[in-house]
Amino acid sequence: MKKPIAKPLLLAAALLGTLAGVASAQPSWPGAKPITLIVPYSAGGSVDFTARLVATKLGERLKQSVVIENVTGAGGAIGVAKAVNAAPDGYTLVAGPDSAIAIGRLINPAAFKFDPLKDLAPVGMLNTAPMVLVARPGLPVKDFADFVKLAKASPGKFNYATSGVGTVLQLAMELLKERTGIFVTHVPYRGGAQIATDVIGNQVDLAMLVSTSAIPHVTGNRLKALGVTGSQRLEALPQVPAFGEMPGLKGFDMVSWTGIFAPANTPAPIVSRLNQELNAVLKDPEVRAKLQEQGALPGTGSPEDLGRFVKSEYARNQKIVQAANIKE
């Protein structure tokens, strides 16, 4: 005669069967639903260009469409906030640039109400791009060392332009000012289109520009390049030293960057898959060539790498903002 099966064993078997049924009933991600990649700026800019370039290839690899949604306003805060508040299901991502992720909350907490270190799940680095400090044609300097001497001889006489208050461009120049002990006045513009024209026309002494904006004017001998903010020289400007090479500026390394982020609590397997496919896309020769045309370097690394990078950027930027008293 067979012994009866104990009730606890029967209950456990029933529970396992139910869980297995639920798991098998859940559709596998990404399923039939398109993925939205939020760009927190208007169409046509550098972040939008890169996001669209990658979205097409990412969609091909995932066998699902990746749709760009431009959500503008408040320096990127509205677009990033929309991603923060989205369901953490892998169907909403955001192309988060440095200013919106690692600077905005430091200078304008009323607009940036989310905490980028807690409310977003890093997926992977999209791209990085060094900046170039350029000088007007009539400024009597050959290199950055010359400018430092000139600025120290006449504190407050010279100025520099960027595309706005609280941009990584401003923070890079403020860090240079702190490291060299010079005083140069910031002239913020609303966007970067007019800056090069005004520097070429000798209306502004210096400008910190993203590399893609600076390179054509430097190679065309319309502007003087004094230094590159990244850790190494630009391929397109091999004659222009990186600031980290210069005496007193060892270790100087600031770049403009954009990462891909998901809402916090997005399941780890989805984040891992997205990271894997993003890294594969960024190894594509066509993608790499188009990024390099923009003066950018393709990103790489794990979600954890991006998370550590954002924390270090936030901590460094906090010190710069406090020391320079930068406010919106």
Side-chain angles (χ1 to χ4, degrees), residues 51 66 99 130 170 173 197 202 225 229 254 256 283 311 313 328:
V66 178
S99 55
Q170 183 192 8
M173 188 63 194
T197 300
N202 287 296
T229 66
M254 283 189 76
S256 173
K283 289 176 183 174
K311 284 180 182 177
E313 289 281 292
E328 186 66 48

Side-chain angles (χ1 to χ4, degrees), residues 133-141 147 150 156-161 184-185 187 198-200 202-207 223-224 226:
L133 181 65
V134 296
R136 61 182 174 87
L139 198 66
V141 299
F147 177 73
L150 195 65
K157 179 180 177 181
F158 301 100
N159 54 32
Y160 78 95
V184 188
T185 304
V187 182
D198 287 356
V199 181
I200 291 168
N202 287 296
Q203 296 174 53
V204 185
D205 297 308
L206 303 172
L223 291 172
K224 302 176 186 177
L226 302 184

Side-chain angles (χ1 to χ4, degrees), residues 133 159-174 185-192 195 199 204 206-209:
L133 181 65
N159 54 32
Y160 78 95
T162 74
S163 56
V165 173
T167 59
V168 69
L169 302 160
Q170 183 192 8
L171 267 63
M173 188 63 194
E174 291 299 324
T185 304
H186 183 215
V187 182
Y189 280 62
R190 291 181 68 83
I195 295 176
V199 181
V204 185
L206 303 172
M208 187 67 79
L209 300 176

Side-chain angles (χ1 to χ4, degrees), residues 15-86:
L15 179 60
L16 286 172
T18 301
L19 290 174
V22 170
S24 63
Q26 289 178 339
S28 59
W29 181 89
K33 185 178 175 182
I35 297 164
T36 297
L37 175 56
I38 296 171
V39 173
Y41 300 124
S42 57
S46 58
V47 176
D48 180 72
F49 170 85
T50 306
R52 288 178 187 276
L53 173 66
V54 169
T56 302
K57 299 285 186 178
L58 192 59
E60 289 171 4
R61 293 192 64 85
L62 291 170
K63 295 180 174 54
Q64 181 54 272
S65 58
V66 178
V67 180
I68 298 294
E69 181 182 0
N70 296 94
V71 181
T72 63
I78 294 175
V80 177
K82 184 168 184 179
V84 165
N85 294 318

Side-chain angles (χ1 to χ4, degrees), residues 71-325:
V71 181
T72 63
I78 294 175
V80 177
K82 184 168 184 179
V84 165
N85 294 318
D89 56 9
Y91 290 103
T92 303
L93 308 171
V94 62
D98 43 62
S99 55
I101 301 296
I103 302 173
R105 190 166 183 255
L106 297 170
I107 66 166
N108 190 3
F112 291 80
K113 294 179 181 178
F114 53 86
D115 184 342
L117 304 182
K118 295 178 181 177
D119 298 334
L120 291 167
V123 173
M125 183 67 81
L126 190 55
N127 72 293
T128 62
M131 297 158 278
V132 183
L133 181 65
V134 296
R136 61 182 174 87
L139 198 66
V141 299
K142 298 190 303 293
D143 53 30
F144 186 65
D146 279 354
F147 177 73
V148 170
K149 290 177 188 174
L150 195 65
K152 285 186 173 180
S154 304
K157 179 180 177 181
F158 301 100
N159 54 32
Y160 78 95
T162 74
S163 56
V165 173
T167 59
V168 69
L169 302 160
Q170 183 192 8
L171 267 63
M173 188 63 194
E174 291 299 324
L175 184 57
L176 279 173
K177 287 167 59 177
E178 182 186 332
R179 294 280 296 268
T180 56
I182 60 176
F183 173 54
V184 188
T185 304
H186 183 215
V187 182
Y189 280 62
R190 291 181 68 83
Q194 187 63 30
I195 295 176
T197 300
D198 287 356
V199 181
I200 291 168
N202 287 296
Q203 296 174 53
V204 185
D205 297 308
L206 303 172
M208 187 67 79
L209 300 176
V210 292
S211 53
T212 183
S213 299
I215 289 169
H217 297 297
V218 175
T219 55
N221 295 316
R222 293 182 291 274
L223 291 172
K224 302 176 186 177
L226 302 184
V228 174
T229 66
S231 60
Q232 57 191 18
R233 298 189 182 202
L234 283 169
E235 240 178 77
L237 300 174
Q239 77 283 10
V240 181
F243 285 111
E245 298 176 37
M246 302 178 192
L249 291 173
K250 185 178 179 182
F252 190 99
D253 183 11
M254 283 189 76
V255 293
S256 173
W257 55 268
T258 300
I260 297 291
F261 298 85
N265 302 316
T266 298
I270 292 177
V271 171
S272 179
R273 172 82 188 281
L274 280 166
N275 173 265
Q276 176 187 337
E277 302 299 355
L278 176 64
N279 283 336
V281 166
L282 292 170
K283 289 176 183 174
D284 183 293
E286 181 187 353
V287 171
R288 296 180 73 86
K290 287 186 177 179
L291 285 174
Q292 285 165 358
E293 285 172 13
Q294 296 288 311
L297 299 173
T300 187
S302 67
E304 293 75 20
D305 291 334
L306 178 57
R308 286 189 289 269
F309 176 79
V310 170
K311 284 180 182 177
S312 67
E313 289 281 292
Y314 194 90
R316 183 205 58 208
N317 293 343
Q318 189 170 38
K319 291 177 183 176
I320 297 171
V321 167
Q322 289 172 349
N325 194 29

